[in-house]
Amino acid sequence: MRDFMFNEEKKDELPEQNDNNCSGPISVAVIGAGPSGLALCHALESLKFTSNRDVLVTCFERSSVPGGVWQTKGDCNNETTKMYDNLWTNGPSHNLEFHDYTFDEHFNNKPVTVYMKRQDLLDYILARVTRNCPNFFEKYIRFESEVTNVVFNEAKQMFDIEVKDTKADTMTSYQFHKFVWACGDNGKPKIPMNVKSLLVNGGFKGKIIHSSETSTLEDDVRGKRVVLVGAGYSAEDLALQAVKCGASRVFILSRNPDGSLGTMCSHWPGKKVRVYWGYSISGVLDGGNSIGCKALEGKWPYGYQEIPDKASLPIRNIDTIIFCTGYHCSTDMVDKSLTKGFPNGSYCEDYNYQMLKDWKMKPNNLTSLIGDIKPDVRYVDPSTINLAYHRGVNISNPNMMMLSDFGFDVPLRSIDIHAHLLAQYLNGMVRVLSRQEMEDDNEQQFLQEMQYTHRRYNYDKNYAKAVDEQDLWEDYFEGEEDALLGKFGQEEMEVLQRFLGKVAREGRHPLQLLTKKGKFSKTSKAMLRMENLSLDHRTEMDPQGEEKKWMTYRDYTDGDQFQSLITGTKSQKTLSGKWLNL
C-alpha cells in the first residue's frame, strides 16, 4: 500500500525499532497518575505473571495524590486542572465499569445510579488498582515529581528525562528505554483569546472564568445571569450545576447553528436555560453590562463564518461568563519532535491522500442523487486515524507511546482497552507492528470510514460540496425518519465502537466488542443500547405538571434498563430524590 503523506521527509526518521525478542528487563517512564497512567500500571501489574520480560515502571505525578482531573482543588497541593466537587458523569455508569473489579464488589452489591457522582467514581478507580496490590502507589507512583524535559537520545536509544521534586525543589536526570505520555487531554484551559480580548477591552464588568476554575461556582452564579461559551458536555453540566446553585438565568452560546453535544436536552429545569445556536460573542454593550453576539454559519469541515446580513443578538445584564471551550493537553515537557499527533481538541487533521482512480463508494441513499463523486480528501479524525501514532505507539519511534481516552464517549473503557494493549507491547506478549504495517492499517481504517456518509462528508471536500447542493440538511436536523442523510449519531457510534473492538481484539482484552466474524458482540450491543438510552434521557423528556418541570436528564425513571456488562446487575431504577436537591 502507499505511504501516508506528512509533507515532511522520511530521511530524518529513526531506524525501525523492534525489541520484541528482547529478554532482559526494560525501564518505562510514565507521565501522569490519572486514569490513563493508573490503567497502564494496573495492566502491567495484572499481567506480570504471564509477561515475556520484566518491565520496571516509574510513573511520575506532579500532584500529591492520584486520580488526575478527577481530583478536586481541595484534594491536592498544586494548581493542575481539576474537577469541581459536585461533578456527575454524563454517560451510563455501567459503560465505565472495569472487567476485573465490578461495581458489585466495590459498592457491596448496592445498585449504582445510571449517572455517578465524581467522588464515587474516583474512589472506584483508586480501589481497583490497590485491591490486589495494596502497595500499588508505593510500587509504581512517584508523587510530587514534575517531568520538565523529555528528549530521545539517539546515540543511546534511550529517553533522557529530567524530573523536578516539587517538595524539595531539586532536579534529577534519568534514562529510560521506553516513555509513555499519559497526562490526559485536560491539561491546560483553552480559551479563545480573541473573544476574551473583546470582553476585556470592551470593558465587560462581570466575571470571566474557564470551566476549570469553578471551585467557587455557587458564589459566581447564585442569583446571577450567566453565559456559557461553548456547547460540549461541560457546558451541559455547568448549566445544570448553575441552576442547582441558584442562577437566575443561564444562556449557552453554541457556534454550531445545528447544535452540539451539550445542547441536545429537550428540556431544562425550570426553563432557566436558553440555548442560542449559531452565535459567538462579538462585543460588549450597555456600558459593560451586556454582550452582543454575531450570527454564524458552518464552514466545511468544522469551521464557522459570520453571516454579515443577519442581525446581532444582544444578551442583557450578564454577571458571569464561563468559557466551556476545552483544554490543551500538557506537552511542554516533551521535545517538539515527539509531540506530533498528540490530542489537541481538534476533530480533524490535515491529510493529503490520493485515492486510487478506480475507487468508488458503495451504493447508499445518496448515490442516485449525486452519483460517483471524485474524492478530494483533506481531513481525517485523529481518534481513529492518527498519522503519527498507531494504537498509541509512535509510528516513527515505537519506544514512545501515548495513552488517553482518544476522544471516545466511553473514556474509562477506551483507556482500559488501550492500556491493556500497550502493556502487552511493553512486556512482549504482543508484537509491535512495523512502521509499514501501522501505516497500512491506518490506510485500511481510512478506506473503511470513507464508506460512511457522514465520515466521508467530513473528510472529502468534493463529496461535502455535492451533498450540500442537494439541500438535505433541513430534513436531517428536523429528525425526519426518512432523511436521506441517515443518522449521524448511529454512524459515529458504529465507527468508534468497531474501532475500539479492533483494539480490544488485538490486545486480547477480557471484554470483547466484536465476534470472530467482525460483528458486534452482545457486550458491544449492550454498550450501544445504553448509550442510546442515555441520549433518549436528553431528547425524549416531556415533563408535565408543576412537580416535573424541574426534571433534568439525570432524573431518569428507567434505571432497570441499564445493567452491568460483567455481572448483569441492574442500575438503581430512579434517583433517591430530585437531582437538583442531591
Side-chain angles (χ1 to χ4, degrees):
M1 293 189 177
R2 289 152 299 120
D3 292 325
F4 291 91
M5 302 176 68
F6 291 95
N7 296 320
E8 57 184 80
E9 296 293 332
K10 282 191 175 182
K11 64 183 180 182
D12 294 328
E13 293 168 358
L14 293 164
E16 184 130 324
Q17 309 290 315
N18 196 327
D19 58 5
N20 292 295
N21 297 320
C22 176
S23 58
I26 63 167
S27 57
V28 180
V30 180
I31 301 184
S36 294
L38 295 178
L40 180 61
C41 293
H42 173 75
L44 286 165
E45 172 69 22
S46 302
L47 296 167
K48 65 182 179 180
F49 294 116
T50 56
S51 174
N52 288 344
R53 60 172 172 243
D54 291 333
V55 182
L56 307 177
V57 182
T58 303
C59 179
F60 297 102
E61 169 56 51
R62 63 177 171 173
S63 175
S64 57
V65 292
V69 297
W70 286 94
Q71 293 286 0
T72 66
K73 292 287 187 184
D75 294 327
C76 54
N77 62 357
N78 62 21
E79 294 303 314
T80 55
T81 301
K82 304 296 175 186
M83 303 291 188
Y84 44 91
D85 285 327
N86 204 28
L87 177 76
W88 287 55
T89 61
N90 52 42
S93 298
H94 281 304
N95 278 349
L96 305 175
E97 187 178 17
F98 297 122
H99 68 277
D100 57 353
Y101 184 52
T102 65
F103 287 156
D104 284 355
E105 294 174 273
H106 182 74
F107 294 103
N108 298 317
N109 295 313
K110 180 182 177 181
V112 300
T113 52
V114 171
Y115 306 99
M116 190 176 293
K117 293 180 180 179
R118 175 203 64 85
Q119 187 62 54
D120 290 342
L121 185 60
L122 174 62
D123 292 344
Y124 172 67
I125 293 171
L126 300 183
R128 180 220 193 177
V129 300
T130 57
R131 184 184 61 146
N132 294 324
C133 183
N135 66 331
F136 179 90
F137 296 117
E138 293 79 10
K139 181 177 181 178
Y140 288 101
I141 316 299
R142 190 169 297 181
F143 293 107
E144 298 179 305
S145 299
E146 181 180 0
V147 175
T148 60
N149 193 39
V150 179
V151 178
F152 186 68
N153 187 323
E154 295 190 38
K156 294 185 177 181
Q157 293 292 290
M158 301 276 282
F159 288 94
D160 294 328
I161 298 180
E162 296 179 2
V163 181
K164 178 182 179 181
D165 183 323
T166 59
K167 193 171 185 179
D169 196 24
T170 57
M171 297 292 298
T172 307
S173 298
Y174 301 89
Q175 282 194 331
F176 290 88
H177 294 101
K178 309 280 186 180
F179 166 60
V180 182
W181 181 90
C183 298
D185 298 357
N186 300 341
K188 298 177 293 184
K190 182 168 65 175
I191 297 176
M193 296 310 298
N194 60 326
V195 178
K196 186 175 181 179
S197 295
L198 285 173
L199 294 169
V200 174
N201 296 335
F204 178 68
K205 294 180 179 179
K207 189 169 185 178
I208 304 171
I209 59 175
H210 184 267
S211 58
S212 61
E213 304 169 306
T214 50
S215 57
T216 59
L217 181 66
E218 186 167 352
D219 293 335
D220 295 332
V221 303
R222 180 172 296 280
K224 298 177 180 178
R225 290 167 61 85
V226 181
V227 168
L228 304 179
V229 179
Y233 283 132
S234 60
E236 175 190 72
D237 192 60
L238 280 173
L240 294 176
Q241 293 288 349
V243 173
K244 177 184 280 193
C245 290
S248 65
R249 199 81 162 90
V250 179
F251 304 93
I252 299 177
L253 288 179
S254 169
R255 291 183 302 167
N256 191 337
D258 303 309
S260 303
L261 293 174
T263 61
M264 293 186 293
C265 290
S266 59
H267 169 81
W268 296 90
K271 296 183 179 180
K272 285 195 171 187
V273 179
R274 173 74 183 269
V275 181
Y276 289 111
W277 292 280
Y279 282 96
S280 178
I281 294 175
S282 57
V284 179
L285 306 174
D286 301 337
N289 295 309
S290 307
I291 60 172
C293 304
K294 60 185 177 183
L296 303 175
E297 61 183 359
K299 181 180 180 182
W300 184 88
Y302 292 106
Y304 305 95
Q305 60 189 13
E306 184 176 0
I307 305 175
D309 56 349
K310 188 171 182 178
S312 63
L313 168 74
I315 305 180
R316 308 288 183 187
N317 302 317
I318 299 303
D319 302 290
T320 302
I321 295 176
I322 304 176
F323 283 99
C324 304
T325 44
Y327 301 83
H328 296 289
C329 62
S330 297
T331 61
D332 294 345
M333 77 291 289
V334 182
D335 185 85
K336 288 185 178 180
S337 64
L338 300 173
T339 60
K340 181 178 177 63
F342 273 33
N344 63 2
S346 173
Y347 289 101
C348 58
E349 184 172 2
D350 291 340
Y351 184 48
N352 181 11
Y353 183 81
Q354 301 299 317
M355 302 288 291
L356 294 173
K357 291 183 179 180
D358 59 351
W359 182 88
K360 288 186 178 182
M361 192 176 192
K362 294 178 182 178
N364 58 42
N365 292 344
L366 301 179
T367 304
S368 61
L369 289 176
I370 63 178
D372 294 320
I373 304 298
K374 182 180 178 181
D376 180 12
V377 176
R378 302 293 184 91
Y379 302 98
V380 288
D381 180 357
S383 294
T384 55
I385 309 167
N386 190 309
L387 304 182
Y389 284 81
H390 180 271
R391 309 291 193 264
V393 177
N394 188 290
I395 294 175
S396 297
N397 179 0
N399 291 314
M400 164 81 184
M401 298 181 181
M402 170 180 66
L403 179 59
S404 78
D405 62 23
F406 296 104
F408 286 79
D409 285 340
V410 285
L412 292 187
R413 178 85 70 228
S414 173
I415 289 171
D416 197 57
I417 287 174
H418 281 88
H420 203 77
L421 177 59
L422 290 185
Q424 292 175 94
Y425 284 153
L426 291 169
N427 68 19
M429 293 174 65
V430 174
R431 180 179 70 87
V432 177
L433 300 182
S434 68
R435 178 191 177 95
Q436 191 61 55
E437 288 173 316
M438 293 184 195
E439 291 184 344
D440 286 351
D441 189 73
N442 267 346
E443 183 174 21
Q444 175 105 16
Q445 178 70 29
F446 163 72
L447 292 173
Q448 289 173 356
E449 293 187 19
M450 280 288 284
Q451 296 296 339
Y452 289 87
T453 300
H454 290 269
R455 283 263 154 167
R456 185 179 176 189
Y457 178 90
N458 292 333
Y459 295 171
D460 182 348
K461 186 175 182 179
N462 287 346
Y463 191 74
K465 181 179 179 181
V467 170
D468 287 344
E469 289 174 350
Q470 298 300 315
D471 292 328
L472 302 173
W473 290 107
E474 184 174 351
D475 286 345
Y476 171 77
F477 286 113
E478 288 181 358
E480 297 292 338
E481 288 295 326
D482 59 349
L484 292 175
L485 286 169
K487 294 184 178 181
F488 171 73
Q490 295 297 326
E491 181 182 298
E492 279 295 287
M493 282 188 195
E494 180 175 337
V495 171
L496 297 176
Q497 190 81 345
R498 191 169 299 283
F499 179 85
L500 199 57
K502 289 169 63 176
V503 180
R505 182 171 57 197
E506 292 166 15
R508 296 175 289 196
H509 193 275
L511 279 182
Q512 287 296 305
L513 307 182
L514 299 175
T515 66
K516 292 181 179 180
K517 294 183 179 180
K519 305 293 185 181
F520 285 140
S521 66
K522 290 182 179 180
T523 297
S524 198
K525 290 177 181 177
M527 286 178 62
L528 293 172
R529 184 179 62 82
M530 287 191 285
E531 288 295 321
N532 283 323
L533 286 171
S534 178
L535 177 62
D536 289 345
H537 287 171
R538 292 168 165 87
T539 60
E540 303 298 327
M541 280 192 295
D542 186 25
Q544 300 293 326
E546 190 69 21
E547 179 67 18
K548 291 186 177 181
K549 73 177 184 179
W550 291 99
M551 283 182 64
T552 72
Y553 75 88
R554 293 189 179 115
D555 292 289
Y556 60 89
T557 58
D558 59 352
D560 54 353
Q561 297 299 308
F562 296 77
Q563 65 183 69
S564 169
L565 304 172
I566 299 95
T567 65
T569 301
K570 294 181 178 181
S571 293
Q572 191 174 304
K573 185 172 175 59
T574 61
L575 290 178
S576 58
K578 294 178 182 178
W579 182 82
L580 288 176
N581 296 332
L582 296 178

